[in-house]
Amino acid sequence: MKALRLATTFAAVVLAGVVPVVAAPSASAETRRDRQWYLKTLDVAAAHKITQGSGVVVAVLDTGVGKHPDLDGQVVEGVSLAAGEGTSLTDNDGHGSSMAGLIVAKGGNADHLLGIAPKAKVLSVRTGAGRTGMGKTNIPEGIRWAVDHGAKVINISAGGKLEDGGPEAVKYALDHDVVVVAGSGNVAQFPAGSGVIQPASIPGVVAVSAHDRAGNVWSGAIGGPEVVLSAPGVAIPAVSAAGGGRVVGYYESTDGTSNSTAIVSGAAALIRAKYPDLPAKDVIQRLVSTADEAGAPGRDPQYGYGRLNLVKALTADVAPVAANPLLQSVRSSGQAASAAPEAGDDSLGPALRLAAIAGGAVCVLLIVVLVLVLALRRRRA
């Protein structure tokens, strides 16, 4: 299929959306698959020898998912919560289809795109007909609907300031063993200093920022203390589905935390396929504890715990955790989230308890000696 360079004449994106970029004509025989640079960065070929995501359903809360050759057979019809006409398989904007492609595009020849988890399925939950207006209460409603209809991972490459019900909906997902992944937001679409957008900023959500091919954090990504991971998000090819006057084709290059969010959702799907009995809290622990350190030591506002390491997340020996690591205290070293001891937790251990008792006894002895010395001096005086 011929490459289609889609013009950048969109209205301002009001969410954590991708920004289309016109691709320069290629002077070589470079294929579209070659332009998926992150496939090599993440060593997706090695990951696919382990699993391709079979049996996992990823809900995409977005503008719907339209028809595209790279998505044939990959998308499950869900529900449309958007105002106006259309089903969940209607995408008049193109954003939702692009996110679905990054997660489950089935590949084919080298001029077609390959998703991170091509044997997973996308459940389309249409929370908005366009990129404006999706940051309203239909996102919490969409989260609950996706949980109730079999999603094991929820991708939200969108957001803003949710009106009501965001934290409760996220808690509902976590309580039902579902991993929620959301974009930190794009600087161009939100006021300076607004911070990480919702639902990414809600505790327990895997909030994702973007980095480029060199591993440097994208200057257009919103940073903040809620950021959990960074993943490829710059110069990413994406599918463009039919609908709204669009033709079936591709965006040759897009930038945004939407992209990095979908890639992390694909990674979560691979982990859930490789370890089908692994609880969501331990899926998240695998993602954060195996990330490659980047930025300031420990968890930082740009990279979170670091850059996604897909193969390590699938293969490393990671101990189970007692609770969602994003809801617990973290070590200042930040290499992995660490659950804080709860009340009554015998976390000191026998050796430390004995040391504490001995130290207290020494203090008492020193006080007794001091009292005796002062008493003798008074008697002599």
Side-chain angles (χ1 to χ4, degrees):
M1 181 177 292
K2 276 190 174 180
L4 300 174
R5 297 190 187 95
L6 303 183
T8 59
T9 55
F10 288 99
V13 181
V14 189
L15 307 167
V18 296
V19 181
V21 178
V22 177
S26 176
S28 68
E30 184 183 48
T31 67
R32 188 168 288 110
R33 185 74 55 79
D34 292 330
R35 288 194 286 275
Q36 285 186 274
W37 59 267
Y38 58 91
L39 297 180
K40 291 184 179 179
T41 298
L42 298 174
D43 202 357
V44 171
H48 284 176
K49 290 179 181 178
I50 301 168
T51 177
Q52 295 187 32
S54 181
V56 178
V57 175
V58 181
V60 172
L61 274 59
D62 217 292
T63 61
V65 180
K67 295 181 180 179
H68 192 282
D70 291 359
L71 297 175
D72 286 349
Q74 305 296 83
V75 182
V76 178
E77 183 170 3
V79 66
S80 178
L81 304 174
E85 298 180 356
T87 70
S88 68
L89 301 183
T90 303
D91 185 5
N92 294 326
D93 180 276
H95 189 268
S97 302
S98 296
M99 298 306 102
L102 291 173
I103 299 169
V104 298
K106 59 186 180 182
N109 64 46
D111 211 35
H112 290 258
L113 299 183
L114 178 65
I116 298 295
K119 289 191 177 177
K121 298 293 183 185
V122 156
L123 175 65
S124 179
V125 180
R126 190 171 180 238
T127 51
R131 300 183 209 192
T132 59
M134 284 181 4
K136 295 183 180 179
T137 53
N138 49 10
I139 286 181
E141 183 182 353
I143 292 172
R144 290 177 178 274
W145 193 94
V147 170
D148 291 342
H149 290 81
K152 298 305 290 181
V153 178
I154 295 178
N155 182 88
I156 311 174
S157 293
K161 182 171 176 54
L162 305 186
E163 290 180 348
D164 291 301
E168 293 80 8
V170 168
K171 184 178 185 303
Y172 183 77
L174 298 177
D175 287 347
H176 287 78
D177 195 41
V178 179
V179 178
V180 182
V181 186
S184 67
N186 297 344
V187 171
Q189 283 80 54
F190 295 91
S194 61
V196 173
I197 63 175
Q198 293 179 332
S201 61
I202 297 172
V205 175
V206 181
V208 185
S209 72
H211 68 73
D212 62 18
R213 190 169 193 158
N216 299 317
V217 69
W218 179 47
S219 61
I222 294 176
E226 301 90 350
V227 172
V228 174
L229 282 177
S230 177
V234 180
I236 307 294
V239 305
S240 170
R246 298 175 181 275
V247 290
V248 176
Y250 299 89
Y251 298 112
E252 295 300 342
S253 182
T254 65
D255 302 333
T257 58
S258 285
N259 295 331
S260 49
T261 300
I263 287 171
V264 170
S265 291
L270 292 185
I271 295 171
R272 302 220 83 163
K274 173 67 165 44
Y275 305 98
D277 298 323
L278 197 67
K281 61 184 177 61
D282 292 301
V283 173
I284 294 171
Q285 177 69 2
R286 278 191 166 270
L287 289 169
V288 300
S289 67
T290 60
D292 293 329
E293 183 70 46
R299 185 177 185 178
D300 70 78
Q302 282 73 45
Y303 295 94
Y305 289 104
R307 292 187 291 260
L308 172 67
N309 187 322
L310 180 58
V311 174
K312 195 174 178 182
L314 288 169
T315 60
D317 185 10
V318 178
V321 291
N324 186 331
L326 303 181
L327 298 176
Q328 303 295 313
S329 299
V330 295
R331 293 195 300 263
S332 59
S333 63
Q335 288 185 352
S338 175
E342 299 183 10
D345 183 13
D346 191 15
S347 58
L348 285 176
L352 287 179
R353 283 202 309 278
L354 287 173
I357 293 169
V362 169
C363 288
V364 171
L365 183 59
L366 288 173
I367 292 170
V368 171
V369 170
L370 182 60
V371 170
L372 290 174
V373 170
L374 289 174
L376 286 172
R377 285 184 178 175
R378 276 187 196 147
R379 203 173 281 177
R380 287 174 185 169

